Amino acid sequence: MDKAEPHHLAPGKLRHPLAWVPSLYLAQGLPFYSVALVAGLMFKSMGVPNEQIARWTGVLGLAWVFKALWSPFLELFRSKKRIVVTLQLTGGVALAALALALQLPAWFALAIALLGVVSLASSTHDIAADGLYIASLSAKQQAAYAGWQGAFFNGAKFLSLGGLVILAGHLEQSVGPQAAWATVFGLLGALMAGLGLYHAWALPGPSASTGPASAQAASVRGTVAVLVDVIRAFFAKPGIWLGILFILLFRTAEGQVQTIGPLFLRDARDIGGMGLSTQEVGAIYGTAGTAAFLVGSILGGYFTSWIGLKRAMPWLILAMNVPNLVFYYLSMTQPESLGVVTASLAAEMFGYGFGFVGMILFIMQVIASGPYQTAHYALGSGFMQLGFVLSKVVSGDIQQALGYRHFFLWVVLSALPVLVLTRFVRLEPENP
């Protein structure tokens, strides 16, 4: 599946990569962050309890867990461009429909259903967009424009948290939460639809050949056979079950703190929260938080490259525990200074960015090594998302049972098992 060369585009259909790579990955990030982050803050403003927010946003994340299972079937379509544009327009329509649904009596059920549509469209879009990128660019170009991918995917986080959430916080004070968030999701829907229409023109057209991953994948039966072989080869890897356990435990603490942390910031101080407004949370995470995350990610990559993954992994796991310690500190002291809170959350996002590199490289270099590298990376990423989702789903119930202070202490402790596991799991490729 991974041995096929990129399928070059038919003459006359090439556009400069900068005409579509940045906007393609902006379109990949916007629906993801809408579901993963923005929806939770909207539900908090609308009075939904923490445990329901955690449970339902966690369930919505399952689409990214299982996307690898249907990824081979996208090879049956000749034009990845058509798939990408269709899914972007689908996501845009669903987000716009969500803006209308917020005005109806059964708004919560409708919101979950429409966010489910967004999740399925977005996770499938990820596969098609990455496939289009690989098929349309040479290996040298892929490396040259990889930085634009990450910059604009994370730019979607800056736009959604740093721009639209701030707008929501401002509008909440004048028109109320319902109308404020309807405006935000209406803008997100319009932006996604606009990107879809733009990409109908800008994206590279169909390749001269259908470009399946192998000749075997030219039919549904062949695609199923490839999928079965991919899964069989994945679970036949030496030490794979210990590796999967390591992946699941790596995100146990993160899934809990990334879900409850923003809700803790919003809750009133007299019940243990920080009492920040929607606007303040958006401003902190969308500016200092995003910048710290990007710096941490870059430095984490250089650090791991310098000393190697095996030696770096314990330090990367400790860095992933910085956010847990930050929230425990905030819950214990409840500082009133917005500067202290901003500095604390910047440290949180720096640690998260620095440490998360470890999981990406572990999946890429250890779990996905050997045949079917791309498909096995997708499966490993699915388990990574599963660990995040499982901890996210139960985090609200744990927080309600323990309260904020004891909850964040529990999160610190729940990060320790994966640190112990580093002594037993293989941290180097089988055949380096």
Side-chain angles (χ1 to χ4, degrees), residues 9 33 38 71 82 116 128 133 167 183 194 205 209 232 245 269 360 375-376 388 409 423 427:
L9 300 176
Y33 288 118
V38 179
S71 60
R82 187 172 300 169
Y133 181 87
L167 175 63
T183 301
S209 64
R232 181 201 58 76
L245 179 62
R269 298 179 70 87
I360 296 297
H376 287 175
F388 183 83
L409 178 59
R423 297 185 60 85
L427 294 173

Side-chain angles (χ1 to χ4, degrees), residues 210-241:
T210 56
S214 68
Q216 189 182 17
S219 66
V220 173
R221 181 179 297 178
T223 302
V224 172
V226 170
L227 177 60
V228 170
D229 194 51
V230 165
I231 295 173
R232 181 201 58 76
F234 181 81
F235 288 104
K237 290 175 180 283
I240 187 62
W241 291 107

Side-chain angles (χ1 to χ4, degrees), residues 157-239:
K157 184 177 183 180
F158 175 82
L159 178 60
S160 55
L161 280 182
L164 294 176
V165 170
I166 293 174
L167 175 63
H170 175 74
L171 292 175
E172 279 180 352
Q173 300 172 12
S174 55
V175 298
Q178 223 167 16
W181 289 101
T183 301
V184 165
F185 278 97
L187 289 172
L188 279 167
L191 183 54
M192 281 301 298
L195 285 168
L197 294 174
Y198 170 72
H199 288 143
W201 169 82
L203 289 180
S207 58
S209 64
T210 56
S214 68
Q216 189 182 17
S219 66
V220 173
R221 181 179 297 178
T223 302
V224 172
V226 170
L227 177 60
V228 170
D229 194 51
V230 165
I231 295 173
R232 181 201 58 76
F234 181 81
F235 288 104
K237 290 175 180 283

